[in-house]
Amino acid sequence: MRCNKIFVFILYMKGQSTGHEIGCEMIKLFNHHISLHAILLAATEVALLIVGGFLLMELMPIHVGASLVNDGGEVLVASLPLAVFLVVCSVGLYSRRVIFHNGFQASQWVTVFALMSGVLGIGLFVFWWSFMPEERFPFSFWAATVAMYSGIGLGLRFAFSQVFRDSEIFRKRVVVLGTGPQAQKIFRGSLEDKKANVNVVGFVGLDGQDSGPVRPLLPDLLHNSRYALADYAQENNIDEIVVTLADRRRPEGGLGGGLPVWEMMDCKLRGIQITEFDCFWEREFGKVELSTIRPSWIIFSDGFQVSAVKRVMKRAFDLLFSSLFLLATLPVLLLTALAIKLDSAGPVFYSQKRVGLNGNLFPVLKFRSMRTDAEKNGAQWASKSDSRVTRVGKFIRKTRIDEIPQILNVFRGEMSFVGPRPERPDFMEELEREVPYYSERHRVKPGITGWAQINYPYGATIEDARQKHSYDLYYLKNISIFLDLVILVQTVRVVLFGEGAR
């Protein structure tokens, strides 16, 4: 069985040509790749949370004076947004590596639901105090609700990991064509790991190409007959063949050299997916491989388009979420300003020139996290355990609170809420020289948070900048409001667990 891209939630039986297990289809939803197992898990969780809320209300109805609130329709209406809210808040916990790592997932879920229980308690208390101040607050109902939602969240993931940990369900079986540098990158990426979305069955060597450190090497499938590769794929339940050849030219009808056109065509006609390395890498890792892309790939690929409609929608998104975020964090802003003033001499804020849209410079605003003489010897990269950082600075950097004042830059139109991190002009010349396509990040406004920021730690070297730019190019290629929302909710996870902070 394999997943149909048209009917996302339907697993269908393949024809007689295959008949293998379920592969993990990465669904491209609004230009962003999401694995099917995450979608199914989230859908199951929402359904269980709604049913749980309904049953809880039936078992523990709330008494309001002489009335009894346990109407099924009201419960359904109330449970649905709460269930969706909790699932959205835990969106960063749906990756396969989290689901199949019990200790990691449990510790994160405890933190998430500790936060959610507080939010639920505050919301219920405010509602009760506003509309029913004379009635007794239902502490037992609140505790039961938190316990039920936590139990469902942790229990479902534990059951999911135990059932599917060692199975091929939700994992595509892949054969890599080639053993050169691109194939070696796939091998080093540990895609053969059972926690990955795919299972790399093996690598097929080619004439004239060095056999790099990849394994397992499959038997010779390109010389015995034209149909050997397709026969192997069919007999071994292969879902996809990834082409990693740098030179795609091949003599007409020949069996040596570059891309084996006729063999690949036979595989394609038997229903086996054929994918180029660049597309495979983008889909599985959520980033672009800088060493392999060419201008032609950017020109002809599906993406890298920011229409006028998208710009208007993104601006509305920025203003809405910046306003809400500013209101929600106002107490944090005031406490942080006071802490900085008491901790070290100097101003609360600092302004620094950064590169924005189309390469224009603008002053970015942040909470001061370093000593006032931090750059007396010139601009420097931020390093781990940087001695220039103050005591309060360490905390606000860890929690990303130092970034919050950039909301003012968003209101002024110099930044977006989501986008590439704004870079300092002092480093631009070197970065544009060393990192391919680095200047292309300035096609959109920089952001307070972004795809690179939630997937990679602070950069301290040129290599760090290269890695982060590979994520930024993925964002530029697949930019959408949906991806901005995904980044926004995953930023909560990054802040909660201090991932990648310096």
Side-chain angles (χ1 to χ4, degrees):
M1 297 176 66
R2 62 187 306 189
C3 309
N4 192 326
K5 288 184 178 179
I6 300 176
F7 301 101
V8 174
F9 297 102
I10 299 177
L11 302 178
Y12 70 96
M13 292 296 296
K14 294 184 71 178
Q16 294 181 354
S17 63
T18 54
H20 38 95
E21 303 215 26
I22 302 173
C24 177
E25 194 71 66
M26 294 289 285
I27 307 303
K28 195 168 187 179
L29 189 61
F30 300 106
N31 292 334
H32 179 56
H33 299 280
I34 302 177
S35 61
L36 182 64
H37 77 264
I39 294 175
L40 293 178
L41 178 58
T44 304
E45 192 166 55
V46 168
L48 288 178
L49 289 174
I50 292 173
V51 172
F54 180 83
L55 294 177
L56 185 64
M57 185 65 80
E58 291 291 329
L59 295 173
M60 297 183 63
I62 300 177
H63 292 269
V64 181
S67 302
L68 196 64
V69 182
N70 66 344
D71 180 75
E74 293 180 1
V75 173
L76 180 62
V77 172
S79 298
L80 179 58
L82 181 57
V84 173
F85 174 69
L86 289 175
V87 169
V88 168
C89 288
S90 60
V91 70
L93 306 180
Y94 285 100
S95 72
R96 187 179 180 91
R97 294 186 180 277
V98 172
I99 292 170
F100 294 100
H101 192 303
N102 288 337
F104 182 68
Q105 103 178 328
S107 64
Q108 292 213 349
W109 263 96
V110 167
T111 305
V112 167
F113 274 100
L115 177 65
M116 290 303 101
S117 64
V119 172
L120 182 62
I122 293 172
L124 187 59
F125 179 79
V126 171
F127 173 82
W128 211 261
W129 182 79
S130 301
F131 296 98
M132 292 164 283
E134 298 179 357
E135 300 294 333
R136 184 181 177 184
F137 182 77
F139 285 102
S140 59
F141 179 80
W142 167 74
T145 302
V146 171
M148 182 269 294
Y149 276 55
S150 302
I152 288 177
L154 288 170
L156 183 60
R157 280 164 171 69
F158 179 78
F160 195 93
S161 65
Q162 294 305 307
V163 171
F164 300 124
R165 178 184 296 277
D166 297 318
S167 72
E168 289 295 311
I169 295 179
F170 300 131
R171 300 178 72 225
K172 297 182 77 170
R173 292 172 59 81
V174 171
V175 163
V176 178
L177 186 60
T179 57
Q182 294 177 359
Q184 293 165 33
K185 286 189 71 69
I186 292 177
F187 179 74
R188 289 194 301 269
S190 301
L191 293 184
E192 74 276 16
D193 188 347
K194 292 183 179 180
K195 295 184 180 66
N197 287 315
V198 297
N199 175 19
V200 180
V201 176
F203 298 79
V204 178
L206 298 167
D207 289 343
Q209 189 177 61
D210 293 334
S211 179
V214 295
R215 63 176 187 271
L217 282 172
L218 299 179
D220 193 348
L221 301 176
L222 299 177
H223 296 83
N224 294 334
S225 75
R226 166 180 161 176
Y227 306 101
L229 180 61
D231 289 341
Y232 175 88
Q234 185 177 23
E235 292 167 3
N236 290 274
N237 305 325
I238 302 302
D239 294 286
E240 181 178 23
I241 294 177
V242 180
V243 183
T244 65
L245 306 181
D247 182 6
R248 295 184 174 86
R249 295 171 296 175
R250 190 178 192 196
E252 183 71 20
L255 292 175
L259 179 66
V261 177
W262 296 105
E263 293 88 332
M264 302 303 295
M265 185 179 69
D266 289 328
C267 292
K268 181 77 171 183
L269 294 176
R270 295 197 199 189
I272 299 165
Q273 182 180 350
I274 310 296
T275 306
E276 289 186 312
F277 169 80
D278 292 329
C279 296
F280 175 81
W281 194 261
E282 176 192 345
R283 184 191 75 200
E284 296 299 328
F285 288 96
K287 60 182 179 178
V288 172
E289 177 48 46
L290 298 178
S291 64
T292 63
I293 63 171
R294 299 291 182 268
S296 59
W297 179 81
I298 296 177
I299 293 170
F300 295 109
S301 64
D302 181 20
F304 294 105
Q305 294 180 336
V306 185
S307 64
V309 174
K310 280 186 178 180
R311 292 184 189 278
V312 171
M313 292 178 63
K314 189 167 176 60
R315 182 58 180 161
F317 175 94
D318 290 340
L319 294 175
L320 173 62
F321 279 93
S322 295
S323 301
L324 294 175
F325 193 69
L326 182 60
L327 290 174
T329 59
L330 188 57
V332 176
L333 293 172
L334 296 176
L335 290 174
T336 302
L338 179 61
I340 292 174
K341 203 66 180 174
L342 294 175
D343 180 56
S344 61
V348 171
F349 302 99
Y350 85 99
S351 179
Q352 192 178 70
K353 290 291 183 181
R354 295 293 175 102
V355 183
L357 181 65
N358 297 323
N360 297 320
L361 299 183
F362 71 98
V364 70
L365 189 65
K366 284 188 176 186
F367 277 125
R368 182 175 59 83
S369 60
M370 289 187 176
R371 302 189 310 268
T372 53
D373 62 346
E375 294 193 338
K376 60 183 180 181
N377 297 321
Q380 301 177 42
W381 292 96
S383 60
K384 191 173 183 180
S385 301
D386 200 319
S387 60
R388 300 172 298 163
V389 179
T390 64
R391 290 173 298 178
V392 171
K394 290 179 182 179
F395 176 77
I396 63 176
R397 280 183 169 228
K398 188 76 172 176
T399 55
R400 310 297 175 97
I401 293 175
D402 64 321
E403 310 279 355
I404 296 179
Q406 294 176 46
I407 289 177
L408 297 178
N409 294 109
V410 176
F411 284 130
R412 293 201 298 243
E414 299 160 336
M415 293 180 64
S416 288
F417 205 92
V418 177
R421 183 176 181 272
E423 191 53 78
R424 299 182 62 174
D426 310 71
F427 303 134
M428 282 303 302
E429 182 178 351
E430 182 181 12
L431 289 170
E432 288 180 348
R433 184 175 63 251
E434 298 293 337
V435 181
Y437 308 102
Y438 195 78
S439 61
E440 305 312 315
R441 70 203 307 274
H442 302 137
R443 303 296 183 181
V444 297
K445 293 179 183 178
I448 298 176
T449 184
W451 188 241
Q453 289 95 304
I454 66 172
N455 283 287
Y456 199 85
Y458 270 35
T461 64
I462 294 295
E463 181 56 32
D464 286 338
R466 181 188 297 270
Q467 292 297 326
K468 294 194 74 168
H469 186 55
S470 67
Y471 288 105
D472 284 332
L473 279 184
Y474 175 92
Y475 176 77
L476 290 175
K477 182 176 184 293
N478 301 291
I479 188 171
S480 68
I481 296 299
F482 175 76
L483 182 53
D484 281 3
L485 286 171
V486 169
I487 293 170
L488 195 61
V489 294
Q490 289 206 31
T491 300
V492 177
R493 179 208 73 208
V494 173
V495 171
L496 280 177
F497 306 115
E499 297 177 11
R502 278 184 182 168

